Amino acid sequence: MSYKRVLLRFREMDGFVQSLKEIPEAWWRMPIAEGKWSPAEIIAHLIEWDRFLLDGRLDQLKPGQAAPPVSVQVDGLNARAARWAREEASRQEVPDAFHHTRTRLLRRLETVPGPDRVEPFTIRGRSLTLTAYLEGLADHEDHHRKQIEGHLRTRREG
């Protein structure tokens, strides 16, 4: 997949998140399944990972170099994001924060020089390009998008 296509997928996800402003509040805050997050919590999770990339991880993914181990505690980051969406953020705040953070991330990704997009680096002993790394993140987002779409389909049919 091309770098431009990956960035397009990131933009499309922003459009999808903005479309969620139209769903009923109850659906926005309702877990998508037993023991799962709500759409609000899922989107907050994605915001935190965009921030993680912006706050330094992108700068560590240098061609020809090994990326240092991740310093973030994944479970803690996810729990904080979910709690923020569930207990602190307003209905409007989550999609607005996603848009703001995603716009910053896209602007940053657009400045990456061409060679840095396709030259491999190493992460956890695995050779990867920035394009492939970002494609993996886009795939992860697609998984969450499909979960939310299924949740909304069930609400509309039920």
Side-chain angles (χ1 to χ4, degrees):
M1 178 174 294
S2 75
Y3 192 79
K4 286 184 180 183
R5 176 69 182 127
V6 172
L7 296 189
L8 178 61
R9 289 176 68 191
F10 278 16
R11 281 187 196 87
E12 289 170 346
M13 188 63 178
D14 186 32
F16 172 72
V17 170
Q18 298 317 302
S19 78
L20 296 176
K21 291 178 179 179
E22 306 301 318
I23 69 172
E25 173 81 17
W27 298 2
W28 174 248
R29 302 255 181 221
M30 179 185 298
I32 62 169
E34 182 79 25
K36 299 286 186 179
W37 287 332
S38 67
E41 292 165 314
I42 291 169
I43 301 310
H45 155 78
L46 298 177
I47 293 167
E48 285 306 311
W49 286 101
D50 278 6
R51 288 179 181 155
F52 170 72
L53 281 171
L54 281 164
D55 291 343
R57 190 59 170 166
L58 279 175
D59 293 333
Q60 297 173 340
L61 306 178
K62 297 291 184 194
Q65 296 182 14
V70 179
S71 61
V72 68
Q73 296 297 320
V74 174
D75 291 340
L77 183 140
N78 288 337
R80 281 190 307 279
R83 186 173 41 257
W84 172 73
R86 189 175 52 251
E87 299 173 7
E88 299 171 29
S90 71
R91 172 70 173 84
Q92 190 70 31
E93 205 171 347
V94 176
D96 286 353
F98 183 88
H99 177 71
H100 174 75
T101 306
R102 181 53 54 102
T103 299
R104 285 181 49 228
L105 178 60
L106 283 164
R107 284 187 187 136
R108 171 70 172 80
L109 292 173
E110 288 166 351
T111 68
V112 173
D116 288 0
R117 300 172 182 185
V118 295
E119 294 295 324
F121 57 87
T122 305
I123 190 166
R124 293 185 307 266
R126 183 174 160 218
S127 181
L128 207 58
T129 66
L130 181 60
T131 301
Y133 179 86
L134 295 173
E135 184 178 357
L137 296 178
D139 290 345
H140 174 81
E141 289 185 349
D142 283 346
H143 164 74
H144 285 309
R145 179 181 182 153
K146 288 174 186 171
Q147 287 180 312
I148 293 169
E149 288 171 338
H151 167 72
L152 298 179
R153 199 169 26 261
T154 300
R155 303 284 75 74
R156 289 184 185 110
E157 294 170 358

